[in-house]
PDB file of all heavy atoms in Angstrom:
ATOM      1  N   THR A 854      15.269  13.828  12.618  1.00  0.00           N
ATOM      2  CA  THR A 854      14.955  13.521  14.020  1.00  0.00           C
ATOM      3  C   THR A 854      16.037  12.600  14.561  1.00  0.00           C
ATOM      4  O   THR A 854      16.566  12.844  15.711  1.00  0.00           O
ATOM      5  CB  THR A 854      13.583  12.864  14.129  1.00  0.00           C
ATOM      6  OG1 THR A 854      12.648  13.760  13.592  1.00  0.00           O
ATOM      7  CG2 THR A 854      13.281  12.547  15.588  1.00  0.00           C
ATOM      8  N   PHE A 855      16.519  11.663  13.832  1.00  0.00           N
ATOM      9  CA  PHE A 855      17.553  10.756  14.327  1.00  0.00           C
ATOM     10  C   PHE A 855      18.909  11.484  14.415  1.00  0.00           C
ATOM     11  O   PHE A 855      19.627  11.310  15.377  1.00  0.00           O
ATOM     12  CB  PHE A 855      17.699   9.524  13.325  1.00  0.00           C
ATOM     13  CG  PHE A 855      16.717   8.442  13.631  1.00  0.00           C
ATOM     14  CD1 PHE A 855      15.474   8.491  13.076  1.00  0.00           C
ATOM     15  CD2 PHE A 855      16.977   7.425  14.511  1.00  0.00           C
ATOM     16  CE1 PHE A 855      14.466   7.585  13.369  1.00  0.00           C
ATOM     17  CE2 PHE A 855      16.019   6.445  14.829  1.00  0.00           C
ATOM     18  CZ  PHE A 855      14.782   6.526  14.221  1.00  0.00           C
ATOM     19  N   LEU A 856      19.240  12.345  13.411  1.00  0.00           N
ATOM     20  CA  LEU A 856      20.432  13.106  13.473  1.00  0.00           C
ATOM     21  C   LEU A 856      20.430  13.998  14.700  1.00  0.00           C
ATOM     22  O   LEU A 856      21.434  14.075  15.496  1.00  0.00           O
ATOM     23  CB  LEU A 856      20.625  13.961  12.213  1.00  0.00           C
ATOM     24  CG  LEU A 856      20.926  13.134  10.951  1.00  0.00           C
ATOM     25  CD1 LEU A 856      20.936  14.040   9.695  1.00  0.00           C
ATOM     26  CD2 LEU A 856      22.232  12.358  10.969  1.00  0.00           C
ATOM     27  N   HIS A 857      19.297  14.620  14.920  1.00  0.00           N
ATOM     28  CA  HIS A 857      19.163  15.547  16.114  1.00  0.00           C
ATOM     29  C   HIS A 857      19.411  14.725  17.408  1.00  0.00           C
ATOM     30  O   HIS A 857      20.033  15.094  18.265  1.00  0.00           O
ATOM     31  CB  HIS A 857      17.804  16.216  16.105  1.00  0.00           C
ATOM     32  CG  HIS A 857      17.461  16.834  17.378  1.00  0.00           C
ATOM     33  ND1 HIS A 857      17.986  18.092  17.726  1.00  0.00           N
ATOM     34  CD2 HIS A 857      16.597  16.507  18.421  1.00  0.00           C
ATOM     35  CE1 HIS A 857      17.504  18.453  18.944  1.00  0.00           C
ATOM     36  NE2 HIS A 857      16.670  17.510  19.348  1.00  0.00           N
ATOM     37  N   ALA A 858      18.836  13.525  17.436  1.00  0.00           N
ATOM     38  CA  ALA A 858      18.900  12.669  18.608  1.00  0.00           C
ATOM     39  C   ALA A 858      20.395  12.245  18.921  1.00  0.00           C
ATOM     40  O   ALA A 858      20.830  12.020  19.947  1.00  0.00           O
ATOM     41  CB  ALA A 858      18.100  11.393  18.464  1.00  0.00           C
ATOM     42  N   GLN A 859      21.168  12.213  17.761  1.00  0.00           N
ATOM     43  CA  GLN A 859      22.635  11.911  17.909  1.00  0.00           C
ATOM     44  C   GLN A 859      23.454  13.181  18.232  1.00  0.00           C
ATOM     45  O   GLN A 859      24.704  13.095  18.227  1.00  0.00           O
ATOM     46  CB  GLN A 859      23.126  11.258  16.668  1.00  0.00           C
ATOM     47  CG  GLN A 859      22.534   9.868  16.412  1.00  0.00           C
ATOM     48  CD  GLN A 859      23.090   9.238  15.200  1.00  0.00           C
ATOM     49  OE1 GLN A 859      23.353   9.896  14.184  1.00  0.00           O
ATOM     50  NE2 GLN A 859      23.227   7.908  15.166  1.00  0.00           N
ATOM     51  N   GLY A 860      22.777  14.301  18.348  1.00  0.00           N
ATOM     52  CA  GLY A 860      23.522  15.479  18.786  1.00  0.00           C
ATOM     53  C   GLY A 860      24.029  16.309  17.595  1.00  0.00           C
ATOM     54  O   GLY A 860      24.825  17.162  17.729  1.00  0.00           O
ATOM     55  N   VAL A 861      23.579  15.905  16.333  1.00  0.00           N
ATOM     56  CA  VAL A 861      23.979  16.723  15.153  1.00  0.00           C
ATOM     57  C   VAL A 861      23.082  17.884  14.985  1.00  0.00           C
ATOM     58  O   VAL A 861      21.835  17.798  15.130  1.00  0.00           O
ATOM     59  CB  VAL A 861      23.841  15.746  13.949  1.00  0.00           C
ATOM     60  CG1 VAL A 861      24.124  16.478  12.636  1.00  0.00           C
ATOM     61  CG2 VAL A 861      24.726  14.457  14.049  1.00  0.00           C
ATOM     62  N   ALA A 862      23.716  19.051  14.698  1.00  0.00           N
ATOM     63  CA  ALA A 862      22.900  20.288  14.421  1.00  0.00           C
ATOM     64  C   ALA A 862      22.179  20.141  13.125  1.00  0.00           C
ATOM     65  O   ALA A 862      22.731  19.768  12.106  1.00  0.00           O
ATOM     66  CB  ALA A 862      23.893  21.493  14.387  1.00  0.00           C
ATOM     67  N   ILE A 863      20.851  20.424  13.126  1.00  0.00           N
ATOM     68  CA  ILE A 863      20.069  20.271  11.924  1.00  0.00           C
ATOM     69  C   ILE A 863      19.413  21.575  11.407  1.00  0.00           C
ATOM     70  O   ILE A 863      18.499  21.549  10.576  1.00  0.00           O
ATOM     71  CB  ILE A 863      19.007  19.196  12.089  1.00  0.00           C
ATOM     72  CG1 ILE A 863      18.066  19.500  13.286  1.00  0.00           C
ATOM     73  CG2 ILE A 863      19.643  17.842  12.260  1.00  0.00           C
ATOM     74  CD1 ILE A 863      16.804  18.598  13.389  1.00  0.00           C
ATOM     75  N   GLY A 864      19.953  22.710  11.908  1.00  0.00           N
ATOM     76  CA  GLY A 864      19.451  23.996  11.466  1.00  0.00           C
ATOM     77  C   GLY A 864      17.947  24.135  11.609  1.00  0.00           C
ATOM     78  O   GLY A 864      17.398  23.832  12.662  1.00  0.00           O
ATOM     79  N   THR A 865      17.277  24.585  10.509  1.00  0.00           N
ATOM     80  CA  THR A 865      15.838  24.807  10.608  1.00  0.00           C
ATOM     81  C   THR A 865      15.032  23.593  10.022  1.00  0.00           C
ATOM     82  O   THR A 865      13.868  23.747   9.619  1.00  0.00           O
ATOM     83  CB  THR A 865      15.426  26.098   9.833  1.00  0.00           C
ATOM     84  OG1 THR A 865      15.833  25.857   8.396  1.00  0.00           O
ATOM     85  CG2 THR A 865      16.123  27.342  10.298  1.00  0.00           C
ATOM     86  N   SER A 866      15.657  22.452   9.901  1.00  0.00           N
ATOM     87  CA  SER A 866      15.120  21.266   9.328  1.00  0.00           C
ATOM     88  C   SER A 866      13.769  20.819   9.988  1.00  0.00           C
ATOM     89  O   SER A 866      13.651  20.974  11.184  1.00  0.00           O
ATOM     90  CB  SER A 866      16.056  20.055   9.402  1.00  0.00           C
ATOM     91  OG  SER A 866      17.231  20.452   8.766  1.00  0.00           O
ATOM     92  N   LEU A 867      12.905  20.306   9.243  1.00  0.00           N
ATOM     93  CA  LEU A 867      11.714  19.635   9.731  1.00  0.00           C
ATOM     94  C   LEU A 867      12.182  18.431  10.652  1.00  0.00           C
ATOM     95  O   LEU A 867      13.036  17.626  10.240  1.00  0.00           O
ATOM     96  CB  LEU A 867      10.913  19.022   8.594  1.00  0.00           C
ATOM     97  CG  LEU A 867       9.747  18.116   8.924  1.00  0.00           C
ATOM     98  CD1 LEU A 867       8.542  18.935   9.453  1.00  0.00           C
ATOM     99  CD2 LEU A 867       9.383  17.290   7.748  1.00  0.00           C
ATOM    100  N   ALA A 868      11.716  18.356  11.909  1.00  0.00           N
ATOM    101  CA  ALA A 868      12.174  17.259  12.784  1.00  0.00           C
ATOM    102  C   ALA A 868      11.141  17.252  13.925  1.00  0.00           C
ATOM    103  O   ALA A 868      10.426  18.225  14.212  1.00  0.00           O
ATOM    104  CB  ALA A 868      13.564  17.487  13.311  1.00  0.00           C
ATOM    105  N   GLU A 869      11.103  16.082  14.566  1.00  0.00           N
ATOM    106  CA  GLU A 869      10.280  15.942  15.788  1.00  0.00           C
ATOM    107  C   GLU A 869      11.226  15.879  16.945  1.00  0.00           C
ATOM    108  O   GLU A 869      11.527  14.769  17.387  1.00  0.00           O
ATOM    109  CB  GLU A 869       9.350  14.759  15.681  1.00  0.00           C
ATOM    110  CG  GLU A 869       8.315  14.905  14.614  1.00  0.00           C
ATOM    111  CD  GLU A 869       7.630  13.608  14.221  1.00  0.00           C
ATOM    112  OE1 GLU A 869       8.242  12.748  13.574  1.00  0.00           O
ATOM    113  OE2 GLU A 869       6.526  13.358  14.618  1.00  0.00           O
ATOM    114  N   LYS A 870      11.671  17.006  17.428  1.00  0.00           N
ATOM    115  CA  LYS A 870      12.690  17.029  18.433  1.00  0.00           C
ATOM    116  C   LYS A 870      12.283  16.320  19.758  1.00  0.00           C
ATOM    117  O   LYS A 870      13.036  15.811  20.507  1.00  0.00           O
ATOM    118  CB  LYS A 870      13.204  18.430  18.752  1.00  0.00           C
ATOM    119  CG  LYS A 870      13.872  19.047  17.524  1.00  0.00           C
ATOM    120  CD  LYS A 870      14.555  20.295  17.747  1.00  0.00           C
ATOM    121  CE  LYS A 870      15.347  20.796  16.504  1.00  0.00           C
ATOM    122  NZ  LYS A 870      15.798  22.121  16.521  1.00  0.00           N
ATOM    123  N   ASP A 871      10.918  16.373  19.974  1.00  0.00           N
ATOM    124  CA  ASP A 871      10.431  15.781  21.260  1.00  0.00           C
ATOM    125  C   ASP A 871      10.507  14.210  21.156  1.00  0.00           C
ATOM    126  O   ASP A 871      10.340  13.556  22.163  1.00  0.00           O
ATOM    127  CB  ASP A 871       8.913  16.198  21.479  1.00  0.00           C
ATOM    128  CG  ASP A 871       8.089  15.960  20.291  1.00  0.00           C
ATOM    129  OD1 ASP A 871       8.581  16.106  19.148  1.00  0.00           O
ATOM    130  OD2 ASP A 871       6.919  15.599  20.458  1.00  0.00           O
ATOM    131  N   LEU A 872      10.811  13.699  19.970  1.00  0.00           N
ATOM    132  CA  LEU A 872      10.985  12.237  19.847  1.00  0.00           C
ATOM    133  C   LEU A 872      12.421  11.806  19.894  1.00  0.00           C
ATOM    134  O   LEU A 872      12.728  10.662  19.487  1.00  0.00           O
ATOM    135  CB  LEU A 872      10.306  11.745  18.591  1.00  0.00           C
ATOM    136  CG  LEU A 872       8.829  11.867  18.562  1.00  0.00           C
ATOM    137  CD1 LEU A 872       8.257  11.325  17.259  1.00  0.00           C
ATOM    138  CD2 LEU A 872       8.180  11.056  19.725  1.00  0.00           C
ATOM    139  N   ALA A 873      13.346  12.671  20.353  1.00  0.00           N
ATOM    140  CA  ALA A 873      14.749  12.329  20.364  1.00  0.00           C
ATOM    141  C   ALA A 873      14.987  11.069  21.221  1.00  0.00           C
ATOM    142  O   ALA A 873      15.774  10.201  20.847  1.00  0.00           O
ATOM    143  CB  ALA A 873      15.554  13.533  20.933  1.00  0.00           C
ATOM    144  N   ASP A 874      14.340  11.011  22.381  1.00  0.00           N
ATOM    145  CA  ASP A 874      14.523   9.791  23.251  1.00  0.00           C
ATOM    146  C   ASP A 874      14.050   8.550  22.549  1.00  0.00           C
ATOM    147  O   ASP A 874      14.697   7.471  22.619  1.00  0.00           O
ATOM    148  CB  ASP A 874      13.733   9.930  24.540  1.00  0.00           C
ATOM    149  CG  ASP A 874      14.445  10.856  25.496  1.00  0.00           C
ATOM    150  OD1 ASP A 874      15.624  11.160  25.296  1.00  0.00           O
ATOM    151  OD2 ASP A 874      13.753  11.355  26.491  1.00  0.00           O
ATOM    152  N   THR A 875      12.900   8.676  21.850  1.00  0.00           N
ATOM    153  CA  THR A 875      12.380   7.549  21.101  1.00  0.00           C
ATOM    154  C   THR A 875      13.363   7.087  19.996  1.00  0.00           C
ATOM    155  O   THR A 875      13.583   5.909  19.837  1.00  0.00           O
ATOM    156  CB  THR A 875      11.006   7.874  20.451  1.00  0.00           C
ATOM    157  OG1 THR A 875      10.202   8.433  21.469  1.00  0.00           O
ATOM    158  CG2 THR A 875      10.345   6.695  19.860  1.00  0.00           C
ATOM    159  N   ALA A 876      13.865   8.077  19.255  1.00  0.00           N
ATOM    160  CA  ALA A 876      14.833   7.772  18.265  1.00  0.00           C
ATOM    161  C   ALA A 876      16.047   7.059  18.869  1.00  0.00           C
ATOM    162  O   ALA A 876      16.568   6.082  18.275  1.00  0.00           O
ATOM    163  CB  ALA A 876      15.243   9.055  17.511  1.00  0.00           C
ATOM    164  N   ARG A 877      16.474   7.510  20.013  1.00  0.00           N
ATOM    165  CA  ARG A 877      17.708   6.854  20.679  1.00  0.00           C
ATOM    166  C   ARG A 877      17.331   5.410  21.097  1.00  0.00           C
ATOM    167  O   ARG A 877      18.128   4.506  20.968  1.00  0.00           O
ATOM    168  CB  ARG A 877      18.174   7.707  21.874  1.00  0.00           C
ATOM    169  CG  ARG A 877      19.037   8.851  21.418  1.00  0.00           C
ATOM    170  CD  ARG A 877      19.732   9.534  22.612  1.00  0.00           C
ATOM    171  NE  ARG A 877      18.786  10.347  23.389  1.00  0.00           N
ATOM    172  CZ  ARG A 877      18.558  11.622  23.149  1.00  0.00           C
ATOM    173  NH1 ARG A 877      19.144  12.256  22.261  1.00  0.00           N
ATOM    174  NH2 ARG A 877      17.639  12.248  23.971  1.00  0.00           N
ATOM    175  N   ARG A 878      16.075   5.233  21.552  1.00  0.00           N
ATOM    176  CA  ARG A 878      15.651   3.903  21.973  1.00  0.00           C
ATOM    177  C   ARG A 878      15.718   2.908  20.696  1.00  0.00           C
ATOM    178  O   ARG A 878      16.150   1.789  20.798  1.00  0.00           O
ATOM    179  CB  ARG A 878      14.250   3.944  22.563  1.00  0.00           C
ATOM    180  CG  ARG A 878      13.693   2.563  22.882  1.00  0.00           C
ATOM    181  CD  ARG A 878      12.337   2.627  23.506  1.00  0.00           C
ATOM    182  NE  ARG A 878      11.280   3.262  22.765  1.00  0.00           N
ATOM    183  CZ  ARG A 878      10.662   2.839  21.658  1.00  0.00           C
ATOM    184  NH1 ARG A 878      11.044   1.636  21.188  1.00  0.00           N
ATOM    185  NH2 ARG A 878       9.728   3.484  21.068  1.00  0.00           N
ATOM    186  N   ILE A 879      15.188   3.453  19.601  1.00  0.00           N
ATOM    187  CA  ILE A 879      15.214   2.650  18.383  1.00  0.00           C
ATOM    188  C   ILE A 879      16.615   2.315  17.911  1.00  0.00           C
ATOM    189  O   ILE A 879      17.011   1.133  17.578  1.00  0.00           O
ATOM    190  CB  ILE A 879      14.406   3.325  17.195  1.00  0.00           C
ATOM    191  CG1 ILE A 879      12.979   3.395  17.596  1.00  0.00           C
ATOM    192  CG2 ILE A 879      14.603   2.640  15.854  1.00  0.00           C
ATOM    193  CD1 ILE A 879      12.066   4.281  16.743  1.00  0.00           C
ATOM    194  N   LEU A 880      17.495   3.292  18.099  1.00  0.00           N
ATOM    195  CA  LEU A 880      18.954   3.002  17.768  1.00  0.00           C
ATOM    196  C   LEU A 880      19.526   1.950  18.656  1.00  0.00           C
ATOM    197  O   LEU A 880      20.224   1.042  18.226  1.00  0.00           O
ATOM    198  CB  LEU A 880      19.811   4.340  17.857  1.00  0.00           C
ATOM    199  CG  LEU A 880      19.455   5.361  16.850  1.00  0.00           C
ATOM    200  CD1 LEU A 880      20.104   6.657  17.198  1.00  0.00           C
ATOM    201  CD2 LEU A 880      19.924   4.982  15.413  1.00  0.00           C
ATOM    202  N   ASP A 881      19.196   1.961  19.916  1.00  0.00           N
ATOM    203  CA  ASP A 881      19.636   0.938  20.935  1.00  0.00           C
ATOM    204  C   ASP A 881      19.038  -0.431  20.604  1.00  0.00           C
ATOM    205  O   ASP A 881      19.780  -1.432  20.577  1.00  0.00           O
ATOM    206  CB  ASP A 881      19.246   1.279  22.375  1.00  0.00           C
ATOM    207  CG  ASP A 881      19.986   2.506  22.906  1.00  0.00           C
ATOM    208  OD1 ASP A 881      21.059   2.862  22.204  1.00  0.00           O
ATOM    209  OD2 ASP A 881      19.627   3.082  23.875  1.00  0.00           O
ATOM    210  N   GLU A 882      17.711  -0.400  20.292  1.00  0.00           N
ATOM    211  CA  GLU A 882      17.088  -1.735  19.899  1.00  0.00           C
ATOM    212  C   GLU A 882      17.710  -2.353  18.679  1.00  0.00           C
ATOM    213  O   GLU A 882      17.942  -3.517  18.622  1.00  0.00           O
ATOM    214  CB  GLU A 882      15.548  -1.483  19.580  1.00  0.00           C
ATOM    215  CG  GLU A 882      14.686  -1.314  20.779  1.00  0.00           C
ATOM    216  CD  GLU A 882      13.259  -0.879  20.326  1.00  0.00           C
ATOM    217  OE1 GLU A 882      12.946  -0.875  19.173  1.00  0.00           O
ATOM    218  OE2 GLU A 882      12.577  -0.506  21.302  1.00  0.00           O
ATOM    219  N   ALA A 883      18.112  -1.456  17.704  1.00  0.00           N
ATOM    220  CA  ALA A 883      18.732  -1.947  16.535  1.00  0.00           C
ATOM    221  C   ALA A 883      20.079  -2.543  16.810  1.00  0.00           C
ATOM    222  O   ALA A 883      20.450  -3.720  16.358  1.00  0.00           O
ATOM    223  CB  ALA A 883      18.969  -0.811  15.541  1.00  0.00           C
ATOM    224  N   GLU A 884      20.829  -1.933  17.675  1.00  0.00           N
ATOM    225  CA  GLU A 884      22.139  -2.409  18.069  1.00  0.00           C
ATOM    226  C   GLU A 884      22.072  -3.811  18.752  1.00  0.00           C
ATOM    227  O   GLU A 884      22.780  -4.740  18.302  1.00  0.00           O
ATOM    228  CB  GLU A 884      22.788  -1.497  18.939  1.00  0.00           C
ATOM    229  CG  GLU A 884      24.348  -1.708  19.020  1.00  0.00           C
ATOM    230  CD  GLU A 884      25.057  -0.633  19.822  1.00  0.00           C
ATOM    231  OE1 GLU A 884      24.596   0.501  19.832  1.00  0.00           O
ATOM    232  OE2 GLU A 884      26.114  -1.017  20.400  1.00  0.00           O
ATOM    233  N   ARG A 885      21.077  -3.930  19.674  1.00  0.00           N
ATOM    234  CA  ARG A 885      20.845  -5.178  20.314  1.00  0.00           C
ATOM    235  C   ARG A 885      20.455  -6.299  19.390  1.00  0.00           C
ATOM    236  O   ARG A 885      20.827  -7.490  19.494  1.00  0.00           O
ATOM    237  CB  ARG A 885      19.747  -5.044  21.426  1.00  0.00           C
ATOM    238  CG  ARG A 885      20.339  -4.490  22.721  1.00  0.00           C
ATOM    239  CD  ARG A 885      19.357  -4.860  23.875  1.00  0.00           C
ATOM    240  NE  ARG A 885      18.029  -4.202  23.674  1.00  0.00           N
ATOM    241  CZ  ARG A 885      17.750  -2.943  23.952  1.00  0.00           C
ATOM    242  NH1 ARG A 885      18.724  -2.158  24.419  1.00  0.00           N
ATOM    243  NH2 ARG A 885      16.604  -2.471  23.703  1.00  0.00           N
ATOM    244  N   ALA A 886      19.664  -5.855  18.298  1.00  0.00           N
ATOM    245  CA  ALA A 886      19.150  -6.918  17.406  1.00  0.00           C
ATOM    246  C   ALA A 886      20.116  -7.243  16.232  1.00  0.00           C
ATOM    247  O   ALA A 886      19.839  -8.064  15.398  1.00  0.00           O
ATOM    248  CB  ALA A 886      17.761  -6.448  16.789  1.00  0.00           C
ATOM    249  N   GLY A 887      21.248  -6.525  16.241  1.00  0.00           N
ATOM    250  CA  GLY A 887      22.237  -6.732  15.202  1.00  0.00           C
ATOM    251  C   GLY A 887      21.796  -6.158  13.872  1.00  0.00           C
ATOM    252  O   GLY A 887      22.237  -6.578  12.771  1.00  0.00           O
ATOM    253  N   CYS A 888      21.021  -5.055  13.919  1.00  0.00           N
ATOM    254  CA  CYS A 888      20.575  -4.378  12.688  1.00  0.00           C
ATOM    255  C   CYS A 888      21.385  -3.117  12.567  1.00  0.00           C
ATOM    256  O   CYS A 888      21.445  -2.348  13.512  1.00  0.00           O
ATOM    257  CB  CYS A 888      19.074  -4.068  12.784  1.00  0.00           C
ATOM    258  SG  CYS A 888      18.460  -2.911  11.533  1.00  0.00           S
ATOM    259  N   THR A 889      22.018  -2.861  11.424  1.00  0.00           N
ATOM    260  CA  THR A 889      22.853  -1.613  11.250  1.00  0.00           C
ATOM    261  C   THR A 889      21.938  -0.512  10.729  1.00  0.00           C
ATOM    262  O   THR A 889      21.285  -0.710   9.658  1.00  0.00           O
ATOM    263  CB  THR A 889      23.961  -1.886  10.238  1.00  0.00           C
ATOM    264  OG1 THR A 889      24.665  -3.043  10.636  1.00  0.00           O
ATOM    265  CG2 THR A 889      24.925  -0.691  10.157  1.00  0.00           C
ATOM    266  N   ILE A 890      21.915   0.592  11.423  1.00  0.00           N
ATOM    267  CA  ILE A 890      21.119   1.720  10.941  1.00  0.00           C
ATOM    268  C   ILE A 890      22.025   2.619  10.075  1.00  0.00           C
ATOM    269  O   ILE A 890      23.117   2.978  10.533  1.00  0.00           O
ATOM    270  CB  ILE A 890      20.503   2.549  12.113  1.00  0.00           C
ATOM    271  CG1 ILE A 890      19.589   1.592  12.915  1.00  0.00           C
ATOM    272  CG2 ILE A 890      19.808   3.808  11.630  1.00  0.00           C
ATOM    273  CD1 ILE A 890      18.221   2.085  13.210  1.00  0.00           C
TER     274      ILE A 890
END
Side-chain angles (χ1 to χ4, degrees):
T854 300
F855 278 87
L856 291 174
H857 169 73
Q859 291 182 327
V861 175
I863 57 167
T865 60
S866 304
L867 171 78
E869 292 167 287
K870 293 189 175 169
D871 52 326
L872 289 182
D874 283 343
T875 308
R877 280 189 287 270
R878 175 178 59 72
I879 291 169
L880 292 169
D881 290 344
E882 281 170 11
E884 197 172 333
R885 275 198 300 280
C888 167
T889 309
I890 299 231

